Amino acid sequence: MSKQRHPVCNLEDSVEQQIHLILKTHFTEYRYDGQFGCYVWDKDFDNILSVSRWKDELEDLVFKSLLNYEKRLKQIKVLIEVDEPVLFDPKTNKQINYKKRIIIKISGIIKMINQPFSHTEYMFFSPLSLA
């Protein structure tokens, strides 16, 4: 926009940005490739019978998306944790629980430089319904 060169980032930052883009994109949102993105968004508002099974399935789905769309990583591992951050209303000083937070930890090795890589993403979900 200002007719100047866009700043360049290093390889690790580029991989982190691509992972962020994959995780934050819904399927069919990217018009040139309907499979680009992640299944995470289809899991929002799920009724969950087993949290561990839900996390395992989500880890597998994130892994498959990364395997398909982040070719610069090898030995990819995905770990998902669920927590509920505690917030306090400043006026009443009462605890407020809005949403669950999904913590997605990704590790692997950057192929080009054979360097370990790790990245963590945080996503807020609707209150998970445990059926």
Side-chain angles (χ1 to χ4, degrees), residues 24-75:
K24 299 293 182 171
T25 303
H26 299 260
F27 284 136
T28 71
E29 187 175 5
Y30 180 58
R31 71 171 142 175
Y32 301 105
D33 184 352
Q35 296 302 309
F36 182 85
C38 191
Y39 196 71
V40 169
W41 299 105
D42 292 342
K43 292 301 206 177
D44 203 1
F45 297 103
D46 266 2
N47 287 326
I48 300 169
L49 298 174
S50 166
V51 174
S52 63
R53 190 173 334 148
W54 181 84
K55 286 183 356 182
D56 290 344
E57 182 181 343
L58 198 53
E59 285 172 358
D60 187 51
L61 294 167
V62 169
F63 173 77
K64 287 177 182 173
S65 290
L66 294 175
L67 202 58
N68 288 331
Y69 291 102
E70 186 42 85
K71 303 289 187 188
R72 297 172 290 181
L73 287 180
K74 64 181 180 180
Q75 299 178 10

Side-chain angles (χ1 to χ4, degrees), residues 2-131:
S2 62
K3 296 184 182 182
Q4 302 215 351
R5 292 187 63 109
H6 196 304
V8 179
C9 66
N10 64 35
L11 180 59
E12 188 173 337
D13 289 342
S14 176
V15 172
E16 286 179 354
Q17 290 174 14
Q18 177 72 357
I19 289 171
H20 179 80
L21 188 62
I22 291 168
L23 294 176
K24 299 293 182 171
T25 303
H26 299 260
F27 284 136
T28 71
E29 187 175 5
Y30 180 58
R31 71 171 142 175
Y32 301 105
D33 184 352
Q35 296 302 309
F36 182 85
C38 191
Y39 196 71
V40 169
W41 299 105
D42 292 342
K43 292 301 206 177
D44 203 1
F45 297 103
D46 266 2
N47 287 326
I48 300 169
L49 298 174
S50 166
V51 174
S52 63
R53 190 173 334 148
W54 181 84
K55 286 183 356 182
D56 290 344
E57 182 181 343
L58 198 53
E59 285 172 358
D60 187 51
L61 294 167
V62 169
F63 173 77
K64 287 177 182 173
S65 290
L66 294 175
L67 202 58
N68 288 331
Y69 291 102
E70 186 42 85
K71 303 289 187 188
R72 297 172 290 181
L73 287 180
K74 64 181 180 180
Q75 299 178 10
I76 300 169
K77 294 181 183 147
V78 177
L79 177 66
I80 293 182
E81 299 173 3
V82 179
D83 75 350
E84 189 170 347
V86 177
L87 303 172
F88 289 93
D89 182 346
K91 294 179 182 174
T92 62
N93 205 24
K94 290 187 179 180
Q95 183 174 331
I96 304 169
N97 297 331
Y98 287 114
K99 294 184 171 192
K100 300 287 186 192
R101 180 171 63 181
I102 309 299
I103 303 165
I104 303 172
K105 297 179 180 181
I106 298 160
S107 63
I109 296 176
I110 299 176
K111 291 178 185 178
M112 185 181 287
I113 55 178
N114 207 30
Q115 175 182 333
F117 172 84
S118 66
H119 178 68
T120 303
E121 286 277 337
Y122 299 92
M123 301 172 100
F124 286 92
F125 261 48
S126 63
L128 297 174
S129 302
L130 298 174

